[in-house]
Amino acid sequence: MDFLDLAKARYSLRKYTGQPVEAEKVQKVLEAALCAPTAHNLQPQRIYVLSGPVQMEKVNRCTSCHFGEPCVLMVGYDDTVSWKREFDGKDYGEVDATIAATQMMLEAQQLGLGTCWIGFYDPQKLAEEFPLPENIHIIGLITLGYPTEDAHPAKLHTASIPMEQMVTYL
């Protein structure tokens, strides 16, 4: 599939069948994160695969955004590894983790799976349910699974600002 076609086809899926995702497909999605470009190739992205009833129940206590997905990828970065810009100390871990997350979502689409980036979660509850070291910062949850037959993009999926509003040539 042409890349632009793939990018346009990917949408935030909010209706999953609940069918478990095969380990081989999860592995391919994770490989997409592994090959993501990162600042100085330090690869600070950290992905936690959550599946099964116990883990999904824990996730559901942290967010009201659940759509019958069988798997959630908890995406973060390790601030002891991430590159910091020398001029102002900006930590690029969040940028690197976001690039990895984007590649995972596109690979999932290529594999016939759906995803939805969840930013609406309670970080305090997430930390209680999934205790991680202090140097790990979670930036988002990505739901992963098979779309139902009647799943479709939200009405605003294809709405875009004009190119001229987004781009300025200097």
Side-chain angles (χ1 to χ4, degrees):
M1 178 183 286
D2 175 74
F3 179 77
L4 275 180
D5 291 337
L6 176 65
K8 289 176 183 179
R10 193 251 156 222
Y11 66 95
S12 295
L13 179 63
R14 293 182 176 91
K15 288 179 81 175
Y16 293 89
T17 64
Q19 172 187 342
V21 179
E22 297 86 349
E24 301 80 28
K25 287 188 176 184
V26 172
Q27 190 64 31
K28 283 188 174 192
V29 169
L30 296 172
E31 286 176 28
L34 188 61
C35 71
T38 61
H40 289 265
N41 198 31
L42 294 176
Q43 303 176 27
Q45 68 271 28
R46 299 294 181 262
I47 292 66
Y48 301 88
V49 180
L50 311 172
S51 62
V54 172
Q55 299 291 28
M56 300 317 302
E57 190 175 306
K58 287 178 161 188
V59 171
N60 289 344
R61 288 194 287 265
C62 302
T63 181
S64 60
C65 300
H66 30 87
F67 313 108
E69 66 278 355
C71 184
V72 171
L73 305 173
M74 190 165 58
V75 181
Y77 69 95
D78 181 341
D79 71 14
T80 66
V81 176
S82 57
W83 180 71
K84 282 72 169 176
R85 185 168 52 200
E86 65 185 70
F87 303 103
D88 60 359
K90 176 173 175 48
D91 189 329
Y92 268 74
E94 187 166 353
V95 173
D96 292 341
T98 301
I99 294 168
T102 300
Q103 290 197 182
M104 287 192 300
M105 291 186 293
L106 290 169
E107 177 63 16
Q109 180 68 35
Q110 182 74 21
L111 294 169
L113 300 168
T115 59
C116 186
W117 178 286
I118 305 295
F120 186 79
Y121 61 89
D122 183 331
Q124 179 79 28
K125 286 183 183 176
L126 198 69
E128 291 168 8
E129 295 292 342
F130 303 100
L132 299 171
E134 286 185 22
N135 55 302
I136 303 295
H137 305 275
I138 300 303
I139 64 160
L141 307 172
I142 298 175
T143 59
L144 178 68
Y146 288 96
T148 62
E149 285 186 31
D150 62 339
H152 55 80
K155 292 178 186 176
L156 294 177
H157 174 70
T158 57
S160 299
I161 61 173
M163 185 70 76
E164 298 77 27
Q165 186 178 342
M166 182 181 74
V167 177
T168 302
Y169 290 91
L170 301 176

